[in-house]
Amino acid sequence: MRCAIIADIHANLEAFTAVLGEIEHQGGVDEVWSLGDIVGYGPDPVPCIELLRRYNHVSVAGNHDRAAIGKLELSFFNPLAAEACRWTAARLGKEHVRYLENLPLTADRGDFLLVHGSPTDPVLEYVMSTGIAARNFAFFGSAYCLVGHTHVPAAFKEEDGSCRSVAMTPGIGMMLGADRLIINPGGVGQPRDGDPSASYAIYDSRSRIFRLFRIPYDIEATQQKMLRAGLPVQLATRLAAGR
Ligand code: ZN
């Protein structure tokens, strides 16, 4: 089975469309695994929810998905994120609210646990260091855990109660074996590792190869939509910087 692993779409339809187009170009996938934050920040929350729903997919809830439906207090957000969240909430119809309400906080897919933040705190914790990753290995039973939330591609390998970071190069496959891993495929709609192109991964359960991809998209089109919508200017400019 081939799975696309996507995280942090963040209502960026241009980035999401570019990723899905590339996935189709590579022969398509059997399932799409979404690691949450479908909405928030970007100008197209409803089209992104509707596009994801056309695919055979499973998605967990991210902090922005929860906040947009009033299930997470905006005090957890910085002022720009909170402003974008209020903008998003005003655009969701009943059907979209119901879809976001029904997203689970965790999902099991065979050897993988899917969460947005971390196994310890699926909504809010950022797995952004070997220390945080090491502590989290005790909180899931499967071989591998997929996380989003940081918008930075990363892989952490469990080693004798400790943990080390594993380099991932776009396009180069990583064979998953006996070592337990926490893997982040990076962000689709608002990458933060200095590379503004959309980030995602493909996993093939037959070959057991996990491969990261980066895809350029029409950043200016997204920025124009955000400015026209009255979303905070800084949220538009950061897309070009990949920060
Ligand atoms: Zn996010």
Side-chain angles (χ1 to χ4, degrees):
M1 185 170 80
R2 274 165 57 82
C3 303
I5 300 153
I6 57 174
D8 298 283
I9 298 164
H10 279 299
N12 186 333
L13 187 62
E14 285 70 30
F16 191 25
T17 304
V19 164
L20 291 171
E22 184 59 25
I23 289 169
E24 295 300 335
H25 181 71
Q26 293 170 12
V29 290
D30 303 294
E31 273 189 13
V32 174
W33 297 351
S34 156
L35 305 176
D37 278 5
I38 303 163
V39 304
Y41 292 132
D44 285 310
V46 164
C48 284
I49 291 173
E50 290 180 351
L51 183 54
L52 179 60
R53 292 184 75 177
R54 282 196 226 144
Y55 285 77
N56 179 28
H57 77 285
V58 54
S59 183
V60 293
N63 52 321
H64 286 258
D65 304 319
R66 305 282 295 165
I69 54 169
K71 299 273 181 187
L72 182 69
E73 294 219 7
L74 285 179
S75 56
F76 286 101
F77 285 64
N78 67 50
L80 295 182
E83 191 180 332
C85 188
R86 280 188 287 267
W87 184 94
T88 301
R91 272 143 194 93
L92 299 176
K94 265 193 198 138
E95 182 58 23
H96 313 111
V97 169
R98 198 171 312 126
Y99 172 78
L100 294 177
E101 270 173 353
N102 285 328
L103 294 180
L105 298 185
T106 66
D108 290 301
R109 294 321 262 175
D111 292 336
F112 295 84
L113 174 73
L114 280 54
V115 296
H116 180 65
S118 77
T120 314
D121 183 343
V123 175
L124 288 173
E125 187 175 49
Y126 292 89
V127 181
M128 57 202 314
S129 69
T130 50
I132 296 170
R135 184 166 47 73
N136 269 286
F137 276 105
F139 290 87
F140 65 100
S142 56
Y144 318 114
C145 176
L146 298 171
V147 301
H149 198 34
T150 66
H151 306 195
V152 174
F156 301 96
K157 179 168 148 182
E158 188 181 37
E159 249 177 17
D160 305 325
S162 174
C163 160
R164 76 177 172 86
S165 180
V166 180
M168 279 196 298
T169 310
I172 307 290
M174 175 167 72
M175 173 93 74
L176 304 195
D179 293 315
R180 296 181 76 218
L181 293 161
I182 297 175
I183 310 174
N184 189 320
V188 170
Q190 193 201 72
R192 292 180 188 165
D193 62 338
D195 178 350
S197 57
S199 191
Y200 72 99
I202 300 274
Y203 176 67
D204 187 324
S205 63
R206 243 184 323 178
S207 63
R208 301 187 64 84
I209 288 177
F210 184 99
R211 206 184 301 266
L212 189 73
F213 293 95
R214 300 306 287 256
I215 297 296
Y217 71 94
D218 191 347
I219 294 174
E220 258 176 53
T222 308
Q223 290 176 317
Q224 289 302 325
K225 280 186 190 175
M226 291 173 77
L227 298 177
R228 275 200 303 271
L231 282 159
V233 175
Q234 295 96 316
L235 294 182
T237 52
R238 73 183 297 179
L239 292 178
R243 295 279 177 205

